[in-house]
Amino acid sequence: MTAAKISNASGPAFRTLFLCSGRFPAILLLIALLWPARGFCDLYVEFLIDRSGSMWASSSQDKVPKIVQVAEAVKRVANKLPPDVAMGLRVYPPPAKGAAGRDPGLQIPIDKEKREEFLEAIEASRLNPRGRGSLREQIERAFQDFPAGKDTKLLIVICDGADPGGVSFCEKALGAARPQGLRFYIISLNVERPSDRDELDCLSRQMDGKSIHLSSSDSLASTLLPIARMAHKDEAARQRRVAEERRRIEELLSKTRLKVEIHNTLDPFFADSIQIDQCLLDGKEVPLQTPLKLKQGEGLLLFDRAMAEGSHQLALRYLKWKDGKAVPSVEGILDVRVEEGKTTHVQCFPRGALFHWEFTFKTQTK
């Protein structure tokens, strides 16, 4: 970093050189952990759609097959949501084959960049209902589709039956742990058997979710859209809270600083000037870009930087110049404690001792 000079307008000449500014790496690490890396609103939505043979049947008065209603409703929701929402599609029973290396039940991995591909996959002809499959198995697989983290995750099951896979949801919980931040909804289409409704209700309760049972007169799109919009709104609010916490920590850490000044107070009888020869902070060298010679009465700001709270070791050494000859000082070492939210100000002064030259320190925290 190039040294910058600032003159002092009052009193004796006071030269200030900024050798090291910048933030302690721990600050960047803390901010990185808090600040979302993927975008402003990290909402992840996956639809888990029942494609069993019964989905070709109609549940409405206009005789439209349930799978067609689902395709149209999901496409409508996808078109209404902002592009920063990542969307994915999983189906059960899964097709016999999937893409190379991919779980055949996962039609579209959750992604922000695949909205068009998602819309193309939501077609009744593509879903092609047939057979029966285990909802239990596909939910456990769906848990693995979401990324780790606190981002809001929305898993919506659309089905026309329970399909617990031979073991009641009311008697046995899912074997896989649900992802952090998951919201779970079951939307059932014209499920008339009380036992199937009970199974779906048991599943939603163990997921701390909600089951909604639609009749032939209810609109699937009108049910789905508020759920997705609320998740998007809540995730945006969460992101704002994260950003505010990031700003708070950044501000706090920027106030947790170590400021080091060096002043040449030696009488001209002893030295024409002093030159900073070495500066170490916690055992690591602080680069000195130019020869830093200070005449009597001059001073410099060696660095003013944000630091992690706690104890740090400062080590300095200088050359005392007199009549063109240099005498090295012994290394001056100071263990200094930096307090959270405060600036610790260290002033360093050369002084003579028996048969050697050394540093004396003055520390102030405010």
Side-chain angles (χ1 to χ4, degrees), residues 284-303:
K284 296 182 179 180
E285 186 173 0
V286 176
L288 304 178
Q289 299 288 334
T290 57
L292 304 178
K293 284 190 175 182
L294 301 175
K295 295 180 180 179
Q296 199 278 335
E298 290 185 330
L300 65 86
L301 177 63
L302 196 57
F303 61 80

Side-chain angles (χ1 to χ4, degrees), residues 181-343:
L182 182 71
R183 299 185 180 191
F184 182 79
Y185 286 86
I186 295 175
I187 314 295
S188 73
L189 305 176
N190 205 32
V191 174
E192 297 179 352
R193 290 191 300 180
S195 60
D196 274 6
R197 290 195 176 202
D198 289 344
E199 285 289 335
L200 295 174
D201 290 342
C202 285
L203 174 58
S204 63
R205 281 195 296 270
Q206 67 168 281
M207 296 285 290
D208 294 326
K210 185 176 182 180
S211 53
I212 302 173
H213 304 294
L214 301 183
S215 66
S216 58
S217 60
D218 296 318
S219 168
L220 177 57
S222 298
T223 302
L224 291 173
L225 196 54
I227 293 172
R229 281 177 169 168
M230 180 57 69
H232 183 266
K233 178 181 177 181
D234 291 347
E235 171 59 16
R238 189 192 71 83
Q239 292 280 1
R240 287 192 291 271
R241 292 193 298 271
V242 168
E244 181 60 34
E245 180 67 8
R246 167 186 176 266
R247 286 191 293 269
R248 186 191 70 80
I249 289 179
E250 185 176 19
E251 180 180 1
L252 177 62
L253 291 177
S254 68
K255 293 178 180 178
T256 306
R257 307 185 70 83
L258 177 60
K259 180 179 179 180
V260 177
E261 291 180 3
I262 296 179
H263 300 264
N264 182 8
T265 54
L266 291 178
D267 191 284
F269 176 81
F270 297 106
D272 299 325
S273 64
I274 64 170
Q275 177 183 338
I276 306 305
D277 183 43
Q278 178 180 277
C279 175
L280 301 177
L281 184 60
D282 293 327
K284 296 182 179 180
E285 186 173 0
V286 176
L288 304 178
Q289 299 288 334
T290 57
L292 304 178
K293 284 190 175 182
L294 301 175
K295 295 180 180 179
Q296 199 278 335
E298 290 185 330
L300 65 86
L301 177 63
L302 196 57
F303 61 80
D304 179 2
R305 59 164 60 176
M307 299 288 292
E309 176 193 14
S311 295
H312 301 273
Q313 187 180 82
L314 175 67
L316 297 170
R317 191 175 63 209
Y318 64 92
L319 299 175
K320 182 187 74 68
W321 286 91
K322 179 67 176 177
D323 298 330
K325 296 181 180 179
V327 176
S329 74
V330 299
E331 188 176 58
I333 297 177
L334 175 68
D335 290 322
V336 57
R337 180 163 187 81
V338 176
E339 298 182 25
E340 184 178 285
K342 296 182 180 180
T343 296

